[in-house]
Amino acid sequence: MWQKLQARLEQRKAHDLLRQRLTLEGAQSVRIRAEGKEYLNFSSNDYLGLANHPKLIEAMQKAAKQYGVGSGASHLIIGHSEQHHALEEELAEFLGLERALLFSTGYMANYGVLTCLPDKNDLIIQDKLNHASLIDGGMASAAKMLRYAHADMDSFERQMKQPAESRLVVTDGVFSMDGDIAQLSELADSCKKHKASLMIDDAHGFGVLGEQGKGSLEHFGLTQGTADIYMATFGKALGGFGAFVAGSELLIESLIQFGRSYIYTTAMPAAVAAANRAGLNLIQEEAWRREKLAKNIDYFRRLASEYHIPLMPSQTAIQPVLIGRNDKTLAISRALKEAGILLVAIRPPTVPENSARLRVTLTAEHTTDDIDYLLEQLALQIKQMNEKT
Ligand SMILES: *Cc1c(COP(=O)(O)O)cnc(C)c1O
């Protein structure tokens, strides 16, 4: 085993695919400290700038004083506090759904849903670019999993024709590495026609999309009930940590009783739940953050096209710049770091082969000056790279 692992590591390195962590020396923010220097950050999912917001910090501190740090047990034993409970009720109320259920992470929520709800006679149908946690959950599920080409409705309809007792269609609301929004109206219509259920992972939509921040369904003017299973996380726009699944009483009660990744794990700390509540409150109170983000997205796209930087068809905070080759992408990312910009290279297997990219994420906290500097440097580095090769 160890010999094979050594070989795999060496192969990764040879293909410019080795991943390395950057150790931060301060809070998540547009300006971030690492390795003794300050960087302009374009790689964070903290879309609304809440991860270091005083109200979240205060909520967490206050709750830690009252509830301590460890939650002590799983939700079903003795770890479910009134902070968790209030957060679940506030989520259900905000979304207008019957119930919501907290999970320690989004990965566990997706894995739990897909391994617990459908059985061996059912079919899970997923977009090929869905998040890894959905793919992993689908592979571990007793149900058969089929995938369709990304956002390709013909490919989707072909998979829907496969025989099954029942079908569960699963899609990211906003695709995490491309930034495009799923065609939810079309998917929902087809689900209705085929009596299939629909699950949306709205990790990158919740808090950001829609006038009230209710996510990708609100973005299209669809009711929250359009999805039978709505999942989103606190670790992105809400600036906190953890995740939830929301929907019907039957959905939530089934997950509580049968969801192994819900049952067999320690509850998130009550103080984290309290911070998530503060985040949920801020996305409702401070709509200006979404408006500011939308302005930044517009500004970025306009200026990028002036610089002839090729963009992908994304209207969201995720604005990937497709480079292709791993070595080139890595080299541009390193040069930007030299220039004081953190823009992490996203490479396979996170994205398909030959589609390595610089995944720009914009936040409400970026200024037009920040975006000016990013694009000026990015254009320069891409040009120099093309002259070299
Ligand atoms: C981040 C993310 C997850 C995982 O959520 P965590 O809470 O970070 O585990 C799931 N789905 C999508 C689309 C994500 O972007």
Side-chain angles (χ1 to χ4, degrees):
M1 179 175 76
W2 300 115
Q3 236 171 358
K4 280 185 282 183
L5 286 170
Q6 192 66 44
R8 280 178 70 190
L9 285 180
E10 273 154 26
Q11 200 186 8
R12 263 212 163 177
K13 200 165 183 178
H15 290 90
D16 291 302
L17 287 175
L18 201 70
R19 271 114 159 112
Q20 273 169 318
R21 301 171 308 174
L22 183 73
T23 309
L24 302 188
E25 292 148 9
Q28 194 59 234
S29 164
V30 161
R31 293 205 165 50
I32 210 167
R33 285 200 70 79
E35 298 164 350
K37 277 194 272 185
E38 191 182 87
Y39 292 97
L40 180 56
N41 179 11
F42 280 101
S43 291
S44 170
N45 300 319
D46 180 24
Y47 301 122
L48 301 178
L50 299 184
N52 190 31
H53 192 287
K55 286 203 172 145
L56 270 76
I57 297 169
E58 192 195 318
M60 196 170 190
Q61 283 175 331
K62 217 172 124 199
K65 279 223 172 88
Q66 193 177 344
Y67 299 92
V69 174
S71 60
S74 65
H75 282 277
L76 294 192
I77 304 295
I78 196 79
H80 185 70
S81 90
E82 55 192 358
Q83 287 295 331
H84 300 115
H85 209 73
L87 176 56
E88 289 179 347
E89 287 180 347
E90 286 159 10
L91 285 162
E93 159 97 42
F94 175 57
L95 293 170
L97 295 169
E98 282 175 19
R99 281 183 81 181
L101 186 73
L102 303 184
F103 280 79
S104 296
T105 70
Y107 190 102
M108 291 164 77
N110 285 338
Y111 198 89
V113 166
L114 295 184
T115 51
C116 131
L117 301 180
D119 71 21
K120 65 178 180 13
N121 300 315
D122 300 332
L123 206 50
I124 296 172
I125 300 175
Q126 301 210 38
D127 189 293
K128 270 209 168 137
L129 291 192
N130 275 356
H131 190 262
S133 54
L134 291 169
I135 302 299
D136 291 0
M139 286 198 295
S141 173
K144 189 177 167 194
M145 177 169 67
L146 296 174
R147 302 209 271 167
Y148 54 93
H150 175 55
D152 180 336
M153 292 308 288
D154 293 335
S155 167
F156 167 71
E157 288 295 343
R158 274 197 300 279
Q159 302 295 41
M160 286 293 268
K161 292 207 176 85
Q162 300 296 320
E165 210 170 87
S166 60
R167 297 173 182 77
L168 174 58
V169 173
V170 186
T171 185
D172 279 16
V174 176
F175 288 90
S176 47
M177 295 303 140
D178 290 47
D180 55 329
I181 307 173
Q183 299 161 74
L184 295 179
S185 301
E186 290 83 348
L187 291 171
D189 285 348
S190 179
C191 283
K192 209 174 224 172
K193 203 173 82 194
H194 290 93
K195 295 194 170 57
S197 303
L198 179 62
M199 172 178 184
I200 299 176
D201 171 346
D202 217 11
H204 297 280
F206 186 61
V208 186
L209 292 182
E211 212 169 281
Q212 296 175 274
K214 291 180 184 176
S216 52
L217 286 166
E218 193 194 0
H219 171 82
F220 289 117
L222 298 166
T223 61
Q224 293 300 321
T226 303
D228 302 276
I229 306 169
Y230 183 80
M231 174 274 181
T233 68
F234 302 112
K236 282 148 189 161
L238 266 75
F241 181 80
F244 71 91
V245 173
S248 68
E249 177 70 32
L250 177 61
L251 164 70
I252 300 305
E253 204 49 41
S254 303
L255 289 170
I256 293 174
Q257 301 304 324
F258 310 123
R260 294 170 67 87
S261 71
Y262 179 75
I263 300 166
Y264 298 108
T265 197
T266 302
M268 71 168 68
V272 172
N276 291 338
R277 290 178 71 192
L280 180 61
N281 193 51
L282 278 171
I283 64 164
Q284 295 170 76
E285 300 273 300
E286 302 194 352
W288 65 265
R289 291 178 185 273
R290 275 186 293 283
E291 288 154 22
K292 174 85 187 300
L293 175 61
K295 276 195 187 134
N296 280 344
I297 295 167
D298 273 353
Y299 185 77
F300 173 88
R301 288 189 67 87
R302 233 175 334 113
L303 199 60
S305 80
E306 280 172 29
Y307 275 115
H308 304 293
I309 292 173
L311 293 180
M312 292 173 74
S314 160
Q315 312 163 45
T316 67
I318 302 165
Q319 292 291 332
V321 179
L322 195 65
I323 305 294
R325 272 170 50 176
N326 300 331
D327 56 348
K328 266 195 186 184
T329 314
L330 209 54
I332 296 173
S333 174
R334 284 188 181 134
L336 288 172
K337 195 172 166 210
E338 283 295 305
I341 295 169
L342 279 184
L343 180 53
V344 175
I346 307 281
R347 293 159 287 165
T350 307
V351 291
E353 289 293 333
N354 301 314
S355 75
R357 66 200 66 179
L358 297 155
R359 177 179 175 270
V360 175
T361 48
L362 299 165
T363 78
E365 302 274 282
H366 285 114
T367 63
T368 49
D369 282 352
D370 295 336
I371 297 169
D372 287 342
Y373 184 61
L374 167 71
L375 286 172
E376 176 200 305
Q377 289 298 318
L378 195 52
L380 181 73
Q381 294 307 332
I382 292 174
K383 183 161 165 269
Q384 285 181 355
M385 193 61 51
N386 288 338
E387 280 163 5
K388 251 189 253 168
T389 52

